[in-house]
Amino acid sequence: MRPLTFWLALLATFFISACGGGGGSSGTAAGGTAGPTISLAITDASGNVLTTNAISGGATFFVRALVRSSSNAPLPNQLVTFTTDAAVATLPQSSALTDASGVARVPIVPVTAGAASLTANATVGGVAATAMIAFQTSPVSVSLSGLSAMQSTVSNLQSTDVSVQVQVGGVPAKASEVSVSFSASCGTFSPVTSLSLAGGTARSTYTPNPSCAGPVTLNANAPGASTATATVNVAASVPANILFTSVSQSLLVVSSAPNGVKSSTVRFQAVNELNAGIGGQNLLLALDAQSLAAGVTFSVNGNPSTTPQTLVSDGAGFVQVVIGSGSVPTPVVVTASLASNPNVRASSSGLAVTNGRASQGRISLSATKLSIEAAQGNGTTDGVTTMLTIRIADRLANPVPMGTVVSFVASHGLVTGSCITDANSACSVSFNTQGPRPDNGLVTILSFLDGEESFTDLNGNNVWDSGEPFVDRGQLFLDRNSSGNYEAGVDQLITGFLPGNASCAGTSSTVMNTCDGTWSGVTRISDVSRIAWASSDAVISELSRSIVVTRPAMPAATPPVAAQFNGSVTVRIADNRGNSMPVGSSIAVSGCTGATVSPTTVSNTISPVNAVVSFSAATDACTLRVTVTSPSGVATNRDIALP
């Protein structure tokens, strides 16, 4: 009979094996509820479980995790992540999937002598499980030597294999025993970290960056070992091309413009045969003659300069320069060339300087509806809206700076007081009916902003010279009764302008004899729109007719045949104030065979519409009915006896 101590020892061995060995916790589901579990153990290279959990640098060790379900069944294909104190040991592989037996395994490499814990985590069906195991490390003696590249000289377009010899305890390291990291003073390694192979060699691949040139230092490092170094010579990339890449602002305004963007950053890039940027290249940047003649300059430390600039490309091959606009609109071209080979060059595109100041000859005010259905008898329907859009440009028909403010005033109703131009040099405001109705049914809307008088640039220097024709502008006013002329005591003068007393013709927005007799580069420019507050009822009147009556010749015995007529009748269609009916009102005819009318709708106008009714072989003695229907559905009829 065996002694009791034998059976106790056997029972202890059974429990150690059941727990995964080595004192590792079997783990639990998060929160302590029933769920998946993890059992941890540390093994040697043959898979034998260490009972002391003591590892050293002279052998290969692994952390083994067994993942089981709540019913204790092994779970394959589960992701397990491992973490530990990197100052004591490293994990060349920090995660692994469980195999068919539910086991995930990763190597563990000692760094220094000491003790630490390792944690494993897994999530199964949304339930997290964790386990922890403690381990001890022994002093590690790791050395690196013989770091070398397969090619001692490489170009920027090449890679080379790099290897280093790894020893542990004075003998070549075993496979996966030591983790070696690689780095370079210029360039990259792939992979950055590599495990030792059989025979004690660790390998990686070095690739220089396009900016690398000359001697490059390669480094290999491993825990507990001194750094191993080597040198490769990188042949500098030969620039094959220069690329124009961008401008920060494509449209500038002249330096004298009151506002707007007046500078832009231009970028170029020096590249090699693979279009990779090359650093350290001297590029010469110059403005073309046309740009220089227009006053365009480089901005060097905040100071203008016309001298070509020599710039050195950065690590990605880029250079950039700031240019400032001059006094004359012009396309701007900057050319970059290699200082070492001027035939390698590129020019900028899409950059221009515009005048930037709005011109009287380039302003236009329009409305979506010039005649709106807003008048009922002597009253007014409030809240009827039309949109007004102002479009402006400089004297060369280029956009003015985005953000230019335009002001609006109106003789009646309500108009938005201002708008700000967009990138298309336009902006819009709304006009709404309210308040008293104008006696003649017309509302005047005046738009104005700061700009310049238009002139004819005879010599093309983009400035007004004495003797060049110009349009002199006088004092602005708001035409309250829409008469088209300034009437003192009725109309309102617009301030912000210093009127002169020189002779000039008045317009619908300026007062006669208030010009200054010279071209003005800073003045108030304007445009006017009139809106009709039209009635729903139409006034239809006949203006003229042109009719030819024909009676076919028939035998005397034949009963008389009715005559037929051809021709047209012109009618005038207006509202009850003699202005246009609301835009979109329909025009139709009936009562006479073959009668047609043109147009069939009221166009966008404030003036009455003339409609022509045409006949083809109409029957004698018919009554033509002309019907005009407003957008709200109010119909007005006029009967005309024909022929």
PDB file of all heavy atoms in Angstrom, residues 6 37 50 101 115 122 161 165 202 244 248 281 284 287 297 349 361 379 408 438 449 478 495 501 507 596 614 634:
ATOM      1  N   PHE A   6       1.978  10.172  -1.207  1.00  0.00           N
ATOM      2  CA  PHE A   6       1.973   9.939  -2.662  1.00  0.00           C
ATOM      3  C   PHE A   6       0.667  10.382  -3.276  1.00  0.00           C
ATOM      4  O   PHE A   6       0.608  11.072  -4.295  1.00  0.00           O
ATOM      5  CB  PHE A   6       2.238   8.456  -2.933  1.00  0.00           C
ATOM      6  CG  PHE A   6       1.989   8.089  -4.393  1.00  0.00           C
ATOM      7  CD1 PHE A   6       2.963   8.328  -5.347  1.00  0.00           C
ATOM      8  CD2 PHE A   6       0.777   7.530  -4.782  1.00  0.00           C
ATOM      9  CE1 PHE A   6       2.742   8.006  -6.671  1.00  0.00           C
ATOM     10  CE2 PHE A   6       0.573   7.214  -6.112  1.00  0.00           C
ATOM     11  CZ  PHE A   6       1.556   7.442  -7.057  1.00  0.00           C
ATOM     12  N   THR A  37     -14.383  31.566 -19.901  1.00  0.00           N
ATOM     13  CA  THR A  37     -13.245  31.674 -18.988  1.00  0.00           C
ATOM     14  C   THR A  37     -11.955  31.522 -19.767  1.00  0.00           C
ATOM     15  O   THR A  37     -11.931  30.988 -20.882  1.00  0.00           O
ATOM     16  CB  THR A  37     -13.301  30.599 -17.889  1.00  0.00           C
ATOM     17  OG1 THR A  37     -13.301  29.301 -18.508  1.00  0.00           O
ATOM     18  CG2 THR A  37     -14.556  30.757 -17.037  1.00  0.00           C
ATOM     19  N   LEU A  50       5.514  25.447 -17.450  1.00  0.00           N
ATOM     20  CA  LEU A  50       6.461  25.746 -16.385  1.00  0.00           C
ATOM     21  C   LEU A  50       5.713  25.808 -15.058  1.00  0.00           C
ATOM     22  O   LEU A  50       4.704  26.507 -14.929  1.00  0.00           O
ATOM     23  CB  LEU A  50       7.150  27.089 -16.642  1.00  0.00           C
ATOM     24  CG  LEU A  50       7.870  27.280 -17.982  1.00  0.00           C
ATOM     25  CD1 LEU A  50       8.553  28.645 -18.011  1.00  0.00           C
ATOM     26  CD2 LEU A  50       8.886  26.165 -18.224  1.00  0.00           C
ATOM     27  N   SER A 101      -8.481  23.646 -30.496  1.00  0.00           N
ATOM     28  CA  SER A 101      -8.547  23.206 -29.101  1.00  0.00           C
ATOM     29  C   SER A 101      -8.835  24.358 -28.150  1.00  0.00           C
ATOM     30  O   SER A 101      -8.762  24.192 -26.926  1.00  0.00           O
ATOM     31  CB  SER A 101      -7.219  22.530 -28.707  1.00  0.00           C
ATOM     32  OG  SER A 101      -6.959  21.417 -29.544  1.00  0.00           O
ATOM     33  N   ALA A 115      10.115  40.644 -11.856  1.00  0.00           N
ATOM     34  CA  ALA A 115       8.850  39.909 -11.825  1.00  0.00           C
ATOM     35  C   ALA A 115       7.748  40.843 -12.296  1.00  0.00           C
ATOM     36  O   ALA A 115       7.800  42.055 -12.084  1.00  0.00           O
ATOM     37  CB  ALA A 115       8.549  39.393 -10.426  1.00  0.00           C
ATOM     38  N   ALA A 122     -10.470  38.363 -23.607  1.00  0.00           N
ATOM     39  CA  ALA A 122     -11.220  37.876 -24.772  1.00  0.00           C
ATOM     40  C   ALA A 122     -12.681  38.251 -24.566  1.00  0.00           C
ATOM     41  O   ALA A 122     -13.159  38.392 -23.431  1.00  0.00           O
ATOM     42  CB  ALA A 122     -11.071  36.378 -24.946  1.00  0.00           C
ATOM     43  N   ASP A 161      18.062  44.391 -48.411  1.00  0.00           N
ATOM     44  CA  ASP A 161      17.875  43.546 -47.239  1.00  0.00           C
ATOM     45  C   ASP A 161      18.962  43.850 -46.213  1.00  0.00           C
ATOM     46  O   ASP A 161      20.130  44.072 -46.560  1.00  0.00           O
ATOM     47  CB  ASP A 161      17.942  42.068 -47.626  1.00  0.00           C
ATOM     48  CG  ASP A 161      16.728  41.635 -48.424  1.00  0.00           C
ATOM     49  OD1 ASP A 161      15.675  42.286 -48.279  1.00  0.00           O
ATOM     50  OD2 ASP A 161      16.836  40.678 -49.208  1.00  0.00           O
ATOM     51  N   GLN A 165      23.227  39.580 -36.524  1.00  0.00           N
ATOM     52  CA  GLN A 165      23.406  38.353 -35.767  1.00  0.00           C
ATOM     53  C   GLN A 165      22.993  38.588 -34.318  1.00  0.00           C
ATOM     54  O   GLN A 165      23.376  39.586 -33.700  1.00  0.00           O
ATOM     55  CB  GLN A 165      24.867  37.892 -35.821  1.00  0.00           C
ATOM     56  CG  GLN A 165      25.361  37.596 -37.238  1.00  0.00           C
ATOM     57  CD  GLN A 165      24.521  36.511 -37.909  1.00  0.00           C
ATOM     58  OE1 GLN A 165      24.252  35.453 -37.305  1.00  0.00           O
ATOM     59  NE2 GLN A 165      24.116  36.767 -39.137  1.00  0.00           N
ATOM     60  N   ALA A 202      18.347  38.012 -37.466  1.00  0.00           N
ATOM     61  CA  ALA A 202      17.114  38.792 -37.612  1.00  0.00           C
ATOM     62  C   ALA A 202      17.241  39.620 -38.882  1.00  0.00           C
ATOM     63  O   ALA A 202      18.312  40.170 -39.171  1.00  0.00           O
ATOM     64  CB  ALA A 202      16.886  39.693 -36.403  1.00  0.00           C
ATOM     65  N   PHE A 244       3.873  72.345 -61.051  1.00  0.00           N
ATOM     66  CA  PHE A 244       3.094  73.421 -60.447  1.00  0.00           C
ATOM     67  C   PHE A 244       1.944  72.763 -59.703  1.00  0.00           C
ATOM     68  O   PHE A 244       1.175  71.996 -60.281  1.00  0.00           O
ATOM     69  CB  PHE A 244       2.567  74.377 -61.517  1.00  0.00           C
ATOM     70  CG  PHE A 244       1.437  75.258 -61.036  1.00  0.00           C
ATOM     71  CD1 PHE A 244       1.647  76.194 -60.026  1.00  0.00           C
ATOM     72  CD2 PHE A 244       0.172  75.135 -61.564  1.00  0.00           C
ATOM     73  CE1 PHE A 244       0.615  76.984 -59.567  1.00  0.00           C
ATOM     74  CE2 PHE A 244      -0.871  75.920 -61.125  1.00  0.00           C
ATOM     75  CZ  PHE A 244      -0.658  76.852 -60.125  1.00  0.00           C
ATOM     76  N   SER A 248      -2.967  79.725 -53.658  1.00  0.00           N
ATOM     77  CA  SER A 248      -3.914  79.863 -52.552  1.00  0.00           C
ATOM     78  C   SER A 248      -5.107  80.725 -52.932  1.00  0.00           C
ATOM     79  O   SER A 248      -6.220  80.508 -52.452  1.00  0.00           O
ATOM     80  CB  SER A 248      -3.215  80.461 -51.325  1.00  0.00           C
ATOM     81  OG  SER A 248      -2.697  81.752 -51.625  1.00  0.00           O
ATOM     82  N   GLN A 281      16.630  70.702 -53.283  1.00  0.00           N
ATOM     83  CA  GLN A 281      16.872  71.148 -54.649  1.00  0.00           C
ATOM     84  C   GLN A 281      16.716  72.665 -54.743  1.00  0.00           C
ATOM     85  O   GLN A 281      15.779  73.244 -54.197  1.00  0.00           O
ATOM     86  CB  GLN A 281      15.896  70.473 -55.618  1.00  0.00           C
ATOM     87  CG  GLN A 281      15.924  68.959 -55.573  1.00  0.00           C
ATOM     88  CD  GLN A 281      17.280  68.394 -55.915  1.00  0.00           C
ATOM     89  OE1 GLN A 281      17.884  68.779 -56.927  1.00  0.00           O
ATOM     90  NE2 GLN A 281      17.775  67.494 -55.083  1.00  0.00           N
ATOM     91  N   LEU A 284      14.707  78.115 -59.077  1.00  0.00           N
ATOM     92  CA  LEU A 284      14.696  79.536 -59.392  1.00  0.00           C
ATOM     93  C   LEU A 284      13.295  79.927 -59.835  1.00  0.00           C
ATOM     94  O   LEU A 284      12.764  79.384 -60.812  1.00  0.00           O
ATOM     95  CB  LEU A 284      15.707  79.843 -60.494  1.00  0.00           C
ATOM     96  CG  LEU A 284      15.881  81.326 -60.855  1.00  0.00           C
ATOM     97  CD1 LEU A 284      16.512  82.074 -59.689  1.00  0.00           C
ATOM     98  CD2 LEU A 284      16.736  81.473 -62.109  1.00  0.00           C
ATOM     99  N   LEU A 287       8.961  85.895 -62.290  1.00  0.00           N
ATOM    100  CA  LEU A 287       7.730  86.413 -62.876  1.00  0.00           C
ATOM    101  C   LEU A 287       7.948  86.701 -64.351  1.00  0.00           C
ATOM    102  O   LEU A 287       9.052  87.119 -64.756  1.00  0.00           O
ATOM    103  CB  LEU A 287       7.304  87.698 -62.164  1.00  0.00           C
ATOM    104  CG  LEU A 287       6.761  87.546 -60.741  1.00  0.00           C
ATOM    105  CD1 LEU A 287       6.826  88.877 -60.004  1.00  0.00           C
ATOM    106  CD2 LEU A 287       5.336  87.021 -60.778  1.00  0.00           C
ATOM    107  N   THR A 297       4.648  91.709 -57.995  1.00  0.00           N
ATOM    108  CA  THR A 297       5.933  91.524 -57.329  1.00  0.00           C
ATOM    109  C   THR A 297       5.914  90.267 -56.471  1.00  0.00           C
ATOM    110  O   THR A 297       4.846  89.756 -56.122  1.00  0.00           O
ATOM    111  CB  THR A 297       6.276  92.724 -56.424  1.00  0.00           C
ATOM    112  OG1 THR A 297       5.261  92.851 -55.418  1.00  0.00           O
ATOM    113  CG2 THR A 297       6.362  94.003 -57.230  1.00  0.00           C
ATOM    114  N   SER A 349      -0.481  78.466 -63.454  1.00  0.00           N
ATOM    115  CA  SER A 349      -1.655  78.754 -64.279  1.00  0.00           C
ATOM    116  C   SER A 349      -2.827  79.101 -63.367  1.00  0.00           C
ATOM    117  O   SER A 349      -2.813  78.804 -62.174  1.00  0.00           O
ATOM    118  CB  SER A 349      -2.019  77.552 -65.156  1.00  0.00           C
ATOM    119  OG  SER A 349      -2.348  76.434 -64.364  1.00  0.00           O
ATOM    120  N   GLY A 361     -20.363 101.419 -65.760  1.00  0.00           N
ATOM    121  CA  GLY A 361     -20.774 100.801 -67.019  1.00  0.00           C
ATOM    122  C   GLY A 361     -20.998  99.314 -66.932  1.00  0.00           C
ATOM    123  O   GLY A 361     -21.369  98.696 -67.937  1.00  0.00           O
ATOM    124  N   GLY A 379     -56.541 100.007 -52.932  1.00  0.00           N
ATOM    125  CA  GLY A 379     -55.802  99.436 -51.819  1.00  0.00           C
ATOM    126  C   GLY A 379     -54.577  98.676 -52.280  1.00  0.00           C
ATOM    127  O   GLY A 379     -54.203  98.684 -53.446  1.00  0.00           O
ATOM    128  N   PHE A 408     -29.627  99.469 -50.956  1.00  0.00           N
ATOM    129  CA  PHE A 408     -30.889  99.613 -51.679  1.00  0.00           C
ATOM    130  C   PHE A 408     -31.815 100.547 -50.909  1.00  0.00           C
ATOM    131  O   PHE A 408     -31.882 100.503 -49.670  1.00  0.00           O
ATOM    132  CB  PHE A 408     -31.586  98.256 -51.840  1.00  0.00           C
ATOM    133  CG  PHE A 408     -30.853  97.286 -52.710  1.00  0.00           C
ATOM    134  CD1 PHE A 408     -29.813  96.517 -52.195  1.00  0.00           C
ATOM    135  CD2 PHE A 408     -31.188  97.127 -54.041  1.00  0.00           C
ATOM    136  CE1 PHE A 408     -29.127  95.629 -52.992  1.00  0.00           C
ATOM    137  CE2 PHE A 408     -30.508  96.235 -54.849  1.00  0.00           C
ATOM    138  CZ  PHE A 408     -29.476  95.477 -54.327  1.00  0.00           C
ATOM    139  N   PRO A 438     -48.497 103.580 -54.683  1.00  0.00           N
ATOM    140  CA  PRO A 438     -48.094 104.738 -55.482  1.00  0.00           C
ATOM    141  C   PRO A 438     -49.221 105.146 -56.432  1.00  0.00           C
ATOM    142  O   PRO A 438     -49.923 104.300 -56.983  1.00  0.00           O
ATOM    143  CB  PRO A 438     -46.864 104.241 -56.244  1.00  0.00           C
ATOM    144  CG  PRO A 438     -46.985 102.759 -56.254  1.00  0.00           C
ATOM    145  CD  PRO A 438     -47.672 102.391 -54.972  1.00  0.00           C
ATOM    146  N   LEU A 449     -23.495 101.733 -54.757  1.00  0.00           N
ATOM    147  CA  LEU A 449     -22.285 101.308 -54.048  1.00  0.00           C
ATOM    148  C   LEU A 449     -21.144 102.203 -54.472  1.00  0.00           C
ATOM    149  O   LEU A 449     -21.262 102.985 -55.428  1.00  0.00           O
ATOM    150  CB  LEU A 449     -21.953  99.842 -54.338  1.00  0.00           C
ATOM    151  CG  LEU A 449     -21.458  99.514 -55.759  1.00  0.00           C
ATOM    152  CD1 LEU A 449     -20.552  98.287 -55.720  1.00  0.00           C
ATOM    153  CD2 LEU A 449     -22.617  99.264 -56.713  1.00  0.00           C
ATOM    154  N   LEU A 478     -33.404 109.463 -55.184  1.00  0.00           N
ATOM    155  CA  LEU A 478     -34.458 108.450 -55.244  1.00  0.00           C
ATOM    156  C   LEU A 478     -35.696 109.080 -55.874  1.00  0.00           C
ATOM    157  O   LEU A 478     -36.274 110.026 -55.326  1.00  0.00           O
ATOM    158  CB  LEU A 478     -34.780 107.919 -53.847  1.00  0.00           C
ATOM    159  CG  LEU A 478     -35.942 106.920 -53.752  1.00  0.00           C
ATOM    160  CD1 LEU A 478     -35.657 105.663 -54.567  1.00  0.00           C
ATOM    161  CD2 LEU A 478     -36.221 106.556 -52.300  1.00  0.00           C
ATOM    162  N   THR A 495     -27.102 110.958 -49.822  1.00  0.00           N
ATOM    163  CA  THR A 495     -25.885 111.574 -49.300  1.00  0.00           C
ATOM    164  C   THR A 495     -24.676 110.677 -49.532  1.00  0.00           C
ATOM    165  O   THR A 495     -24.786 109.567 -50.042  1.00  0.00           O
ATOM    166  CB  THR A 495     -26.046 111.867 -47.808  1.00  0.00           C
ATOM    167  OG1 THR A 495     -26.312 110.623 -47.123  1.00  0.00           O
ATOM    168  CG2 THR A 495     -27.199 112.812 -47.557  1.00  0.00           C
ATOM    169  N   ASN A 501     -20.859 121.326 -59.888  1.00  0.00           N
ATOM    170  CA  ASN A 501     -21.829 122.174 -60.576  1.00  0.00           C
ATOM    171  C   ASN A 501     -21.585 122.214 -62.072  1.00  0.00           C
ATOM    172  O   ASN A 501     -22.061 123.104 -62.764  1.00  0.00           O
ATOM    173  CB  ASN A 501     -21.812 123.591 -60.000  1.00  0.00           C
ATOM    174  CG  ASN A 501     -20.410 124.187 -59.995  1.00  0.00           C
ATOM    175  OD1 ASN A 501     -19.512 123.697 -60.671  1.00  0.00           O
ATOM    176  ND2 ASN A 501     -20.236 125.254 -59.226  1.00  0.00           N
ATOM    177  N   THR A 507     -30.118 111.714 -65.208  1.00  0.00           N
ATOM    178  CA  THR A 507     -30.636 110.386 -65.529  1.00  0.00           C
ATOM    179  C   THR A 507     -31.720 110.046 -64.519  1.00  0.00           C
ATOM    180  O   THR A 507     -32.095 110.864 -63.687  1.00  0.00           O
ATOM    181  CB  THR A 507     -29.520 109.329 -65.482  1.00  0.00           C
ATOM    182  OG1 THR A 507     -29.114 109.149 -64.118  1.00  0.00           O
ATOM    183  CG2 THR A 507     -28.319 109.750 -66.307  1.00  0.00           C
ATOM    184  N   THR A 596     -56.096  83.031 -83.475  1.00  0.00           N
ATOM    185  CA  THR A 596     -54.979  82.748 -82.559  1.00  0.00           C
ATOM    186  C   THR A 596     -54.418  84.060 -82.054  1.00  0.00           C
ATOM    187  O   THR A 596     -54.557  85.107 -82.702  1.00  0.00           O
ATOM    188  CB  THR A 596     -53.855  81.956 -83.260  1.00  0.00           C
ATOM    189  OG1 THR A 596     -53.352  82.724 -84.368  1.00  0.00           O
ATOM    190  CG2 THR A 596     -54.359  80.604 -83.744  1.00  0.00           C
ATOM    191  N   SER A 614     -54.712  86.871 -84.869  1.00  0.00           N
ATOM    192  CA  SER A 614     -54.701  86.573 -86.304  1.00  0.00           C
ATOM    193  C   SER A 614     -55.868  85.672 -86.659  1.00  0.00           C
ATOM    194  O   SER A 614     -56.300  84.830 -85.853  1.00  0.00           O
ATOM    195  CB  SER A 614     -53.376  85.896 -86.680  1.00  0.00           C
ATOM    196  OG  SER A 614     -52.275  86.736 -86.369  1.00  0.00           O
ATOM    197  N   VAL A 634     -58.275  86.047 -61.587  1.00  0.00           N
ATOM    198  CA  VAL A 634     -59.277  87.047 -61.962  1.00  0.00           C
ATOM    199  C   VAL A 634     -59.250  87.217 -63.476  1.00  0.00           C
ATOM    200  O   VAL A 634     -58.201  87.544 -64.058  1.00  0.00           O
ATOM    201  CB  VAL A 634     -59.008  88.386 -61.261  1.00  0.00           C
ATOM    202  CG1 VAL A 634     -60.006  89.439 -61.732  1.00  0.00           C
ATOM    203  CG2 VAL A 634     -59.062  88.217 -59.756  1.00  0.00           C
TER     204      VAL A 634
END
